[in-house]
Amino acid sequence: MTSAAVTGTAARNRRARRIIVMMGAPGAGKGTQAERLAEALGLPHVSTGELFRAMRKSDTPLAEQVRGYMDSGALVPDDIVVAMVDDRLTWKDAGSGVILDGFPRTVAQAEALDGMLSRVGTAVSAVPYIEVPTELLLARLTGRRICSVDDQHLYHVVAMPPKEDGICDIDGAELYQRVDDSEETVQARLDKQLPPMFEVVDYYAGHDVLFAVPGDQAPEAVTGELLRLINARANG
Ligand SMILES: [Zn+2]
């Protein structure tokens, strides 16, 4: 094979590589949709949660550094998170692209991602944003109810209500709400997480790669719309 042919193949591969960044608030269904898109598009679903868990078992210098922060309870700094993602993008299964979930979390991370991608001649190709009104996020995130006898008996007041209000279908025990799921706690969490997420959404909107999909419809409908828009971008 001539070097020109090699260069040509490399250029085609670069064009075909799809870097998809999932955006959405907690409770928007981002993880579920990322999983479905990964399957439909044949790309790995790379969530930062999973990357952090993988670092627990890995023995690279980077993993050791990450464990140091995690064990001390400190926040893992941006440059380390960026290095983790950078490394993940070099894995063989990421050759045709990835679906990133949980990264970037800040504009600084988004800029770092752009930098690392441009070094290998590529760029973020699409940023699907699953948009859900805050009231609905609250309803979803505060709706969980747990059986007071068996914590495997889970309900949701909207998505999976018990037959009788506040009573477990299986054993008739009372249902309760975790403190973590209380409106006050959830609202405080959203107040902290939403502003930086909106900044990242604005960043990508400014780079013309963002598209919003309403998340207040059936999950299958959200997936369908996401796929249609992603494929339209790839072919357009
Ligand atoms: Zn029960």
Side-chain angles (χ1 to χ4, degrees):
M1 198 187 281
T2 65
S3 65
V6 173
T7 312
T9 308
R12 269 196 302 282
N13 286 344
R14 275 205 296 275
R15 267 200 298 280
R17 201 172 190 212
R18 296 209 251 188
I19 311 290
I20 296 168
V21 175
M22 297 296 293
M23 296 293 303
K30 176 168 61 76
T32 307
Q33 295 297 336
E35 201 58 58
R36 289 171 176 224
L37 290 183
E39 197 172 329
L41 298 170
L43 299 174
H45 170 202
V46 173
S47 79
T48 32
E50 217 162 283
L51 279 182
F52 278 120
R53 280 190 291 279
M55 289 289 154
R56 285 243 171 255
K57 291 176 233 155
S58 172
D59 59 1
T60 63
L62 178 63
E64 203 174 304
Q65 244 182 313
V66 172
R67 278 199 297 275
Y69 286 107
M70 289 166 84
D71 293 342
S72 71
L75 202 68
V76 181
D78 268 0
D79 57 335
I80 305 278
V81 182
V82 169
M84 274 167 53
V85 175
D86 197 7
D87 173 71
R88 182 64 183 83
L89 288 173
T90 65
W91 291 21
K92 204 172 171 216
D93 70 342
S96 323
V98 285
I99 296 178
L100 292 174
D101 171 12
F103 178 89
R105 253 185 223 293
T106 61
V107 171
Q109 288 184 357
E111 287 170 345
L113 177 64
D114 281 350
M116 76 170 86
L117 291 175
S118 79
R119 280 197 290 281
V120 291
T122 180
V124 170
S125 42
V127 182
Y129 169 40
I130 306 169
E131 203 168 15
V132 176
T134 309
E135 313 85 72
L136 182 55
L137 291 177
L138 267 175
R140 284 182 181 176
L141 294 167
T142 59
R144 189 160 60 155
R145 296 293 181 273
I146 303 159
C147 172
S148 50
V149 170
D150 186 335
D151 62 9
Q152 299 299 304
H153 302 164
L154 292 169
Y155 300 87
H156 190 285
V157 292
V158 184
M160 210 188 16
K163 288 194 192 78
E164 195 184 332
D165 224 16
I167 303 292
C168 180
D169 289 350
I170 300 162
D171 48 33
E174 242 178 89
L175 302 180
Y176 72 99
Q177 183 185 41
R178 284 214 176 115
V179 181
D180 277 358
D181 299 335
S182 73
E183 182 155 346
E184 206 183 353
T185 310
V186 169
Q187 184 69 60
R189 201 160 80 220
L190 289 179
D191 286 346
K192 204 171 135 213
Q193 293 181 352
L194 292 186
M197 186 202 73
F198 288 137
E199 282 177 26
V200 178
V201 165
D202 285 346
Y203 174 84
Y204 283 124
H207 286 65
D208 208 25
V209 282
L210 185 99
F211 57 84
V213 167
D216 53 353
Q217 46 183 343
E220 297 73 25
V222 176
T223 311
E225 200 163 335
L226 287 168
L227 280 172
R228 188 174 57 76
L229 289 164
I230 288 170
N231 288 324
R233 276 198 160 269
N235 302 324

